[in-house]
Amino acid sequence: MKPAFISSTKPSQDELLEEKILDKMSHIIPRVSFNHIDNTTSAEKSKAKIINLKDKFCVGDNLTIQVDMFDYLGNRKTYGGDFIRARISNPKLGAGASGIIDDYNNGTYHVHFTLFWEGRVYISLLLYHPSEGVSALWKVRNEKFGLINFVGTFAHKEKQAKTECGFQLNTTEDKCEYKDERNTESFYCVRPQNMHCDSLTYLQSLNTDHSFLTKLEKELFNRDKIAHEIKGDFENIETTPCTDPSSSYQEPCRIGMGFPYPSGFFLNNLWRPVFCNLTIFPAEQIKTCLKGKLIYLMGDSTLRQWFLNLAQILKSLKNLDLHRSGLESMLLAIDMDQNIRLQWKKHSHPIVASHFYLVKDDAYISEEIDRLAGGPETVIAITLGQHFRPFPILLFIRRVISVRRAVEHLLLRSPKTKVIIKAENTREISTNVERFSDFYGFLQYMIVKDLFQDLNVGVVDAWDMTIASNSNNVHPSDSVVRNQINLLLSYIC
């Protein structure tokens, strides 16, 4: 399905890339329909079994589980596309890891786990959405805009006026266009009478009452239909150390090492990457590492958590009062003695928030990156995702491509700049599915990995980390955030 806002003129290089990515995503989505909820995948009726069970498992061994899907009537499913979340854990050990899922597109899946720790292993297979739900969500994700509305506040002297804003406005009224010429993106507001377009000061988003789902499709996303456990006759899996752990030496984490999946695991509530040796830095070492650094955090409030956590660790960082009202859109802290500058700034449209927020110094992340000289003392961390979930996916693809281009140019003019990509977090199961389902997040996660895999950047795989920790919170606990920051610091230091 081609979204309505693709240009009809001769496609540019970026537009061809957009189409390629969209086509790649389309090929992993099932095209299925149903006429009754009983004909959709049932976690309760589905079956799972270990297919490589043996008497003794060693740390580092692989465990493979076969999942066969059935509908509510007990009929074998003959197609794939179910959205499954796979995890192993041991709460007493503070251990957790994600699994890799192979979809054979016939109702059968193989789930592969690496047994990372010594001791008991508990297995969790969640049917997050049935394939019929995945198909419905993909359809609505590619519909027109309409799930979120924006209200802009214009200010002129003592006067204020509120008008409708958005990526598309169905109106004949005079409009203000806020355009990024390089990235062919535009955002619009109805222009108040006797006010200039530059007087737009605040924005606020509102959920609409609209839904692109049919009445039948909505039944798939009732709370009792989301994230159900697929039961299996799982034996008591215990692992023992069979090899000398010192033989698995890894080099320290550094920029450009790639990002396998799973990228690591938790043990003793500490994230351990599988591709590098993570260093844990005490506060004083962090201060020494960051001395002279300019650190720019660009994205959403999940990076704001990084800012707040770093500011809490480094007591010498002093927050500057930027005298802003409404939802925080920028934070700045400085350590004058160590010459450290730490800045967080939200990305530009869309920001989905119930509170109003300032837009006077708004800029797309690509524009922010283009303004930086870069250099060995410059660190940039970027995340995009959560606020894009309620909008057509091409908007997200287009934005990530523009960020990639900006990073390419930055690394050409200043190859010693450290760039870190933070994947998006998983979020609450209870959230509005049509707007914020983790299925959307999964698609966006794959797009980001695909677009940045060949660049010399570091990756903090927050998607993997939040699944492994079972956080289910768009703003995970301080423990999870600190583990994300540990990996960031390993790249920097």
Side-chain angles (χ1 to χ4, degrees), residues 54 56-63 113-116 239 242:
K54 55 186 181 179
K56 180 182 179 182
F57 281 102
C58 298
V59 174
D61 281 354
N62 292 320
L63 179 72
F113 294 107
T114 300
L115 303 176
F116 288 114
T239 60
C242 306

Side-chain angles (χ1 to χ4, degrees), residues 148-151 167 187 202-207 298-302 327-329 344-359 362-365 383-391 395 399 436:
I148 304 289
N149 283 343
F150 293 89
V151 175
F167 292 98
F187 190 83
Y202 294 104
L203 276 175
Q204 182 177 0
S205 72
L206 302 167
N207 290 342
M298 304 178 181
D300 57 34
S301 57
T302 66
L327 186 77
E328 284 179 322
S329 56
W344 167 78
K345 190 175 181 183
K346 69 171 178 61
H347 61 70
S348 191
H349 323 299
I351 294 293
V352 180
S354 57
H355 293 86
F356 66 88
Y357 51 92
L358 184 70
V359 295
D362 246 13
Y364 293 103
I365 288 178
T383 193
L384 290 168
Q386 297 288 346
H387 294 267
F388 289 82
R389 293 188 185 190
F391 302 94
L395 178 68
R399 189 68 58 85
F436 292 108

Side-chain angles (χ1 to χ4, degrees), residues 33-46 69-79 82 127 130-133 216-217 219-220 222 224-225:
S33 59
F34 66 104
N35 52 28
H36 195 280
I37 199 74
D38 286 347
N39 304 126
T40 65
T41 313
S42 163
E44 183 182 354
K45 296 287 186 179
S46 298
M69 295 299 196
F70 292 79
D71 66 18
Y72 285 88
L73 298 176
N75 299 313
R76 180 79 156 74
K77 296 296 291 290
T78 58
Y79 49 85
D82 298 287
L127 175 61
S131 49
E132 295 80 10
L216 181 59
E217 288 168 343
E219 291 186 43
L220 293 171
N222 293 334
D224 62 347
K225 294 290 191 297

Side-chain angles (χ1 to χ4, degrees), residues 222-474:
N222 293 334
R223 290 291 169 260
D224 62 347
K225 294 290 191 297
I226 300 173
H228 274 214
E229 196 78 39
I230 302 170
K231 301 296 183 182
D233 186 17
F234 304 135
E235 304 290 333
N236 294 333
I237 303 299
E238 292 271 352
T239 60
T240 57
C242 306
T243 58
D244 180 4
S246 64
S247 64
S248 59
Y249 170 77
Q250 292 176 321
E251 60 178 308
C253 302
R254 56 176 173 78
I255 296 287
M257 297 188 85
F259 31 100
Y261 189 90
S263 61
F265 62 99
F266 280 102
L267 183 59
N268 298 321
N269 297 312
L270 179 67
W271 183 250
R272 301 170 187 243
V274 298
F275 58 93
C276 64
N277 183 30
L278 183 72
T279 304
I280 305 301
F281 298 93
E284 282 307 311
Q285 274 189 270
I286 296 175
K287 184 184 294 187
T288 301
C289 160
L290 298 184
K291 183 176 181 179
K293 295 287 193 298
L294 305 173
I295 306 163
Y296 299 93
L297 308 178
M298 304 178 181
D300 57 34
S301 57
T302 66
L303 270 187
R304 177 178 172 272
Q305 282 189 286
W306 284 18
F307 177 99
L308 297 175
N309 199 287
L310 279 168
Q312 190 176 38
I313 296 168
L314 300 179
K315 305 298 183 184
S316 58
L317 277 171
K318 304 301 179 186
N319 284 293
L320 296 185
D321 186 352
L322 301 179
H323 301 291
R324 291 170 177 241
S325 56
L327 186 77
E328 284 179 322
S329 56
M330 183 174 171
L331 296 170
L332 180 62
I334 294 176
D335 182 336
M336 295 294 291
D337 293 333
Q338 300 296 317
N339 193 29
I340 301 170
R341 173 190 169 114
L342 176 65
Q343 176 183 299
W344 167 78
K345 190 175 181 183
K346 69 171 178 61
H347 61 70
S348 191
H349 323 299
I351 294 293
V352 180
S354 57
H355 293 86
F356 66 88
Y357 51 92
L358 184 70
V359 295
K360 287 312 297 176
D361 58 357
D362 246 13
Y364 293 103
I365 288 178
S366 56
E367 294 177 306
E368 299 277 6
I369 293 172
D370 286 343
R371 293 169 183 167
L372 297 176
E377 306 306 325
T378 300
V379 178
I380 301 172
I382 302 163
T383 193
L384 290 168
Q386 297 288 346
H387 294 267
F388 289 82
R389 293 188 185 190
F391 302 94
I393 199 166
L394 187 62
L395 178 68
F396 180 76
I397 295 172
R398 183 169 291 169
R399 189 68 58 85
V400 178
I401 289 174
S402 72
V403 173
R404 181 204 152 86
R405 295 286 184 235
V407 170
E408 279 183 297
H409 298 157
L410 172 65
L411 294 178
L412 284 173
R413 69 178 179 267
S414 186
K416 292 186 178 180
T417 307
K418 291 182 172 64
V419 179
I420 290 89
I421 306 299
K422 176 196 169 291
E424 63 185 281
N425 302 333
T426 57
R427 65 180 302 152
E428 300 80 2
I429 294 174
S430 60
T431 192
N432 180 283
V433 174
E434 188 173 358
R435 290 173 174 81
F436 292 108
S437 170
D438 266 351
F439 169 67
Y440 296 151
F442 173 66
L443 293 180
Q444 293 175 173
Y445 167 71
M446 291 195 296
I447 290 166
V448 169
K449 287 188 72 171
D450 194 38
L451 279 171
F452 283 94
Q453 64 180 345
D454 61 338
L455 291 186
N456 191 36
V457 299
V459 174
V460 175
D461 196 338
W463 184 263
D464 189 12
M465 295 169 80
T466 49
I467 289 177
S469 65
N470 198 34
S471 78
N472 295 317
N473 193 327
V474 67

